[in-house]
Amino acid sequence: MTTTPIPANQSTNELPDALGRFGNYGGKYVPETLMPALAEFEAAYAKYKHDRDFQQELQGLLKDYVGRPSPLYFAERLSQNYTKPDGTFPQIYLKREDLNHTGAHKINNAIAQALLAIRMGKKRIIAETGAGQHGVATATVCARFGLECIIYMGVEDMERQKLNVFRMRLLGAKVAPVTAGTGTLKDATSEAIRDWVTNVENTHYILGSVAGPHPYPMIVRDFHSVIGQETRSQCAEKWGGLPDILLACVGGGSNAMGLFTEFVKDSSVRLIGVEAAGESVISGKHAATLTQGRPGILHGAMSYLLQDTEGQVVEAHSISAGLDYPGVGPEHSYLKDQGRAEYYSVTDSEAIAAFCRISELEGIIPALETAHAFAYLETLCPQLEGSPRIVINCSGRGDKDVQTVAKYLENK
Amino acid sequence: MIGVKNVNSVADCFKSLRTNNQCALIPFITAGDPDLETTTKALKVLAQNGADIIELGVPYSDPLADGPTIQAAATRALRRKVKLEDVLQVVKEVRKELDTPIVLFTYYNPIFYRGIKSFLTEVKQAGVQGLVVPDLPLEEASTLLEPAKDMGIEVTLLVAPTTPIERIKAIATQSQGFIYLVSVTGVTGMRSQVASRVEELLSELHSNTDKPIGVGFGIASPEQAKQVKDWGADAVIVGSAFVKRLAEGTPEEGLEAIAKFCHSLKQAIV
């Protein structure tokens, strides 16, 4: 593998603007107490993204600690599974973020933000987590750098992601249970923000998605854009061209932005995000924010949002804790309105079927979140002509989900 | 309108208090907790017991700036299906006999969802004087400030202990009615002490603006109220301590408790 990650300072993205806007989306809708901290974080990022020592340290850690670059793997049996009567089938490649240290893409951002936090002199780290992948990634980097670590997690999610709760504690983090609301990712994020409002002077908040107030959507995107940058080089190496379709699951949307960003300007590349339709869109028990929501404000950003007719945020539902969120990153809202990216949704049962299918066909157990992206192949592939090349962000591994899936299959 | 009280603007209310060298008392309650009927009564009780301005909280699903007490009150109100329309109906109702200025404390999404113009029209018609929107910092506030000015609704902006001096100046220029000084680095909720940094912040603010300054977040006792007044506050804002008292026991007990408490706070800052 000869891929060399392009440093973040070569990013060609012009958005967001100075106010943190992607079109109408984004911004900073937070209590005044946090405004100086957001400005400090933005300034630190602006300073260090061009800093040789910072980049050297980050690239070194991504290579030796995280295990980058992650492979681009041709999923032969999965591809053949979609053979059409004329004998053609799409060429499906998996960007193996599940092979990163800690088992998901989340560590790309967590490790980079930790390096910034150290440079800002903040020794206390907080984070929210849904599926626990971001929590584990954050706990891991805090252990690595000797930082105090508190992870906010909804009680419902602690129950369905027990393995990750244990991992976080093993790594020395304090897992703070959040009982408010539905005890899921939205509530954990609110509680993390409240902690930050209270302890902002000595604390850095490692937000785990491309959501939240500016500069988070920009910084988290940039730290994950290594996924797309490697993908470009790997495609060039394997077939000397671009992929035709990129496919990723979207909760807050970090793994999708990580893959898409590099290709937004390549208009020939279709960008497809897959949300969680939960029990079904019609049932109302879903997390299909981009396809069913309307613009609103949650956790500091304007974006599509699941809300009622009073502008109250409604509870999301998904079997996958990482997608169980009524909001979405503002840049996704922008890409949707621009028509640059397409967004669809798949149900819990379709995701479970894909979880099993990928395990059986490829010997890869994907995270339930990731399984949503795989599930959409069932709809997508029959619509495709010839043998287009599809790259799926295999954003995480599914060890954490086996109990949830076993329970689901038993009750069926 | 017949049977509706003529109400001073928040700014005018402060003017007349200043003339008499008085510090304003601004109690906060969450609308619809324990129920709307009690909220109606509570507004009157507060006005009768020394409230100069009343802050009325619109319950919201994700109150980022609020601590456990007000969060819980909002959750209870939402469970009872309290809507903005109901809250405004309460204001309309009390306006028949109450001339105390009312400031709505609401998060931004319900405003945005309704549409800024429609929202402002509705609150104006109900008899609301001002707005405090805790998740709308200066950078995002212009979309609300301009149309609100046109309609005569005063939008009060917040200053926090973390706000740098240049920013304090900019906020002070834009804030209407008064300037809301958040006394703690943190969310709303009762604290046993007021940070001494508040004294410093008050003098910094006073040297940069003539606008009145209200201090809130964390003030829970007459002693703290007096302390803040002595440090130079033009108003003392007390929230969670009222919300907690109103929610305890029967509504009648709650109303009695806030009447007593309101009176004792006022006595402390006279």
Side-chain angles (χ1 to χ4, degrees):
Chain A
M1 191 77 58
T2 57
T3 52
T4 316
I6 302 160
N9 61 14
Q10 287 177 17
S11 162
T12 54
N13 284 285
E14 293 117 21
L15 290 178
D17 66 16
L19 291 173
R21 294 270 173 186
F22 304 87
N24 291 326
Y25 301 110
K28 297 179 179 178
Y29 298 89
V30 293
E32 171 61 24
T33 310
L34 291 181
M35 293 301 283
L38 293 174
E40 181 192 4
F41 185 36
E42 193 179 351
Y45 178 62
K47 178 176 172 191
Y48 290 111
K49 73 176 176 178
H50 298 299
D51 181 86
R52 185 187 295 256
D53 288 346
F54 175 80
Q55 281 299 336
Q56 228 165 30
E57 190 178 3
L58 177 58
Q59 300 308 329
L61 285 161
L62 287 176
K63 180 167 177 282
D64 297 335
Y65 190 66
V66 176
R68 301 207 72 90
S70 68
L72 185 68
Y73 161 73
F74 176 56
E76 191 178 355
R77 293 190 68 216
L78 179 64
S79 298
Q80 286 165 357
N81 185 52
Y82 295 106
T83 305
K84 279 182 291 198
D86 66 1
T88 62
F89 52 85
Q91 313 277 305
I92 301 170
Y93 289 82
L94 313 188
K95 179 59 176 163
R96 296 294 306 276
E97 291 298 298
D98 60 317
L99 293 179
N100 290 342
H101 180 41
T102 71
H105 69 292
K106 292 291 187 187
I107 197 163
N108 301 326
N109 165 57
I111 205 160
Q113 281 201 47
L115 292 184
L116 283 179
I118 293 164
R119 281 163 174 78
M120 289 188 291
K122 310 244 170 152
K123 295 199 165 64
R124 181 176 179 271
I125 298 293
I126 56 168
E128 84 297 339
T129 199
Q133 290 303 105
H134 175 57
V136 167
T138 303
T140 298
V141 300
C142 287
R144 168 66 182 75
F145 296 109
L147 300 165
E148 184 187 356
C149 180
I150 296 108
I151 305 291
Y152 287 93
M153 190 170 190
V155 285
E156 160 79 17
D157 290 342
M158 286 178 73
E159 176 58 33
R160 55 182 167 172
Q161 302 288 344
K162 274 184 193 158
L163 176 66
N164 275 344
V165 173
F166 183 72
R167 288 169 81 195
M168 286 184 272
R169 287 180 173 149
L170 201 59
L171 292 160
K174 187 184 151 212
V175 180
V178 178
T179 52
T182 40
T184 58
L185 180 55
K186 174 186 82 131
D187 313 298
T189 307
S190 295
E191 213 44 44
I193 293 174
R194 289 190 188 102
D195 177 312
W196 203 30
V197 170
T198 308
N199 300 296
V200 62
E201 275 143 332
N202 69 352
T203 299
H204 178 64
Y205 177 20
I206 301 189
L207 207 152
S209 195
V210 287
H214 178 65
Y216 283 103
M218 169 182 79
I219 293 179
V220 177
R221 171 197 72 193
D222 289 355
F223 286 150
H224 279 307
S225 61
V226 62
I227 300 169
Q229 289 156 4
E230 286 176 6
T231 299
R232 181 185 286 277
S233 318
Q234 290 164 328
C235 291
E237 189 181 297
K238 283 189 197 299
W239 64 82
L242 291 171
D244 297 298
I245 299 171
L246 302 178
L247 195 55
C249 64
V250 176
S254 63
N255 90 78
M257 279 319 303
L259 181 62
F260 293 175
T261 299
E262 173 70 16
F263 298 95
V264 167
K265 288 192 171 161
D266 298 299
S267 56
S268 69
V269 181
R270 271 180 83 182
L271 311 176
I272 300 177
V274 184
E275 298 188 301
E279 290 182 10
S280 77
V281 163
I282 300 159
S283 74
K285 298 185 93 178
H286 63 82
T289 309
L290 286 161
T291 43
Q292 300 296 317
R294 51 175 283 181
I297 291 108
L298 178 66
H299 296 142
M302 185 175 295
S303 196
Y304 277 81
L305 177 63
L306 297 178
Q307 51 189 324
D308 68 12
T309 53
E310 287 289 300
Q312 304 283 353
V313 182
V314 301
E315 293 165 1
H317 170 86
S318 169
I319 191 165
S320 137
L323 304 183
D324 199 346
Y325 185 62
V328 67
E331 195 166 5
H332 283 294
S333 295
Y334 176 74
L335 292 175
K336 176 191 157 77
D337 284 6
Q338 293 292 307
R340 180 61 191 95
E342 309 156 50
Y343 297 91
Y344 305 101
S345 62
V346 304
T347 62
D348 289 348
S349 66
E350 290 170 317
I352 297 270
F355 181 93
C356 300
R357 191 182 315 119
I358 308 311
S359 302
E360 284 166 19
L361 288 176
E362 293 293 343
I364 293 170
I365 303 174
L368 265 178
E369 292 75 22
T370 313
H372 284 71
F374 283 114
Y376 188 67
L377 288 170
E378 298 285 301
T379 308
L380 177 68
C381 290
Q383 301 168 0
L384 300 173
E385 305 260 319
S387 305
R389 294 186 174 92
I390 304 174
V391 173
I392 297 188
N393 194 349
C394 191
S395 54
R397 69 178 187 220
D399 313 44
K400 67 186 178 61
D401 294 312
V402 292
Q403 277 172 332
T404 303
V405 175
K407 211 163 127 192
Y408 184 93
L409 294 175
E410 264 169 36
N411 294 337
K412 228 182 155 186
Chain B
M1 278 184 279
I2 302 158
V4 175
K5 289 280 180 179
N6 204 3
V7 186
N8 273 342
S9 70
V10 174
D12 284 345
C13 176
F14 272 107
K15 250 183 227 160
S16 68
L17 284 164
R18 246 190 201 177
T19 318
N20 305 316
N21 211 9
Q22 276 195 28
C23 178
L25 174 62
I26 310 182
F28 168 101
I29 55 170
T30 299
D33 182 54
D35 54 53
L36 288 159
E37 200 190 327
T38 308
T39 303
T40 308
K41 288 179 186 163
L43 292 174
K44 296 175 189 171
V45 162
L46 293 172
Q48 285 156 8
N49 285 278
D52 299 291
I53 296 165
I54 301 171
E55 220 184 299
L56 186 59
V58 179
Y60 183 56
S61 55
D62 295 83
L64 277 188
D66 285 306
T69 306
I70 295 176
Q71 271 182 61
T75 304
R76 288 191 297 264
L78 289 175
R79 242 182 243 142
R80 288 175 159 270
K81 313 259 182 246
V82 171
K83 297 180 172 175
L84 177 65
E85 200 183 309
D86 306 318
V87 179
L88 296 181
Q89 193 52 45
V90 166
V91 178
K92 256 184 208 164
E93 180 64 31
V94 299
R95 272 289 166 254
K96 289 174 191 163
E97 48 189 287
L98 214 69
D99 62 1
T100 312
I102 293 176
V103 172
L104 276 193
F105 180 99
T106 175
Y107 287 83
Y108 188 52
N109 196 50
I111 302 177
F112 178 75
Y113 188 91
R114 241 173 166 85
I116 288 173
K117 282 245 162 84
S118 324
F119 177 86
L120 289 169
T121 310
E122 284 176 63
V123 301
K124 179 78 186 175
Q125 279 170 357
V128 166
Q129 279 62 50
L131 293 175
V132 172
V133 188
D135 58 348
L136 201 67
L138 185 63
E139 284 77 354
E140 308 291 354
S142 60
T143 47
L144 181 64
L145 278 167
E146 294 310 318
K149 248 184 222 166
D150 294 344
M151 219 170 278
I153 295 278
E154 298 160 287
V155 179
T156 295
L157 299 178
L158 297 95
V159 162
T162 52
T163 311
I165 186 71
E166 284 310 311
R167 201 176 154 77
I168 286 182
K169 287 181 196 170
I171 294 169
T173 310
Q174 295 291 324
S175 189
Q176 295 156 14
F178 65 105
I179 297 157
Y180 195 132
L181 172 59
V182 175
S183 69
V184 293
T185 304
V187 293
T188 62
M190 297 164 280
R191 313 287 203 283
S192 55
Q193 273 185 337
V194 186
S196 53
R197 166 119 174 86
V198 172
E199 186 175 13
E200 204 181 305
L201 285 163
L202 273 166
S203 82
E204 257 176 41
L205 267 166
H206 277 308
S207 61
N208 280 291
T209 178
D210 290 335
K211 288 181 186 167
I213 299 155
V215 177
F217 282 40
I219 299 169
S221 72
E223 294 72 28
Q224 292 169 329
K226 183 175 182 329
Q227 174 84 90
V228 169
K229 182 215 163 190
D230 291 346
W231 283 341
D234 299 283
V236 178
I237 306 161
V238 180
S240 297
F242 274 106
V243 172
K244 178 174 169 278
R245 282 174 174 78
L246 188 55
E248 275 169 1
T250 64
E252 289 69 30
E253 287 165 346
L255 288 166
E256 201 175 307
I258 63 164
K260 244 194 220 161
F261 183 55
C262 192
H263 185 75
S264 69
L265 286 169
K266 185 65 183 178
Q267 288 306 306
I269 59 171
V270 163

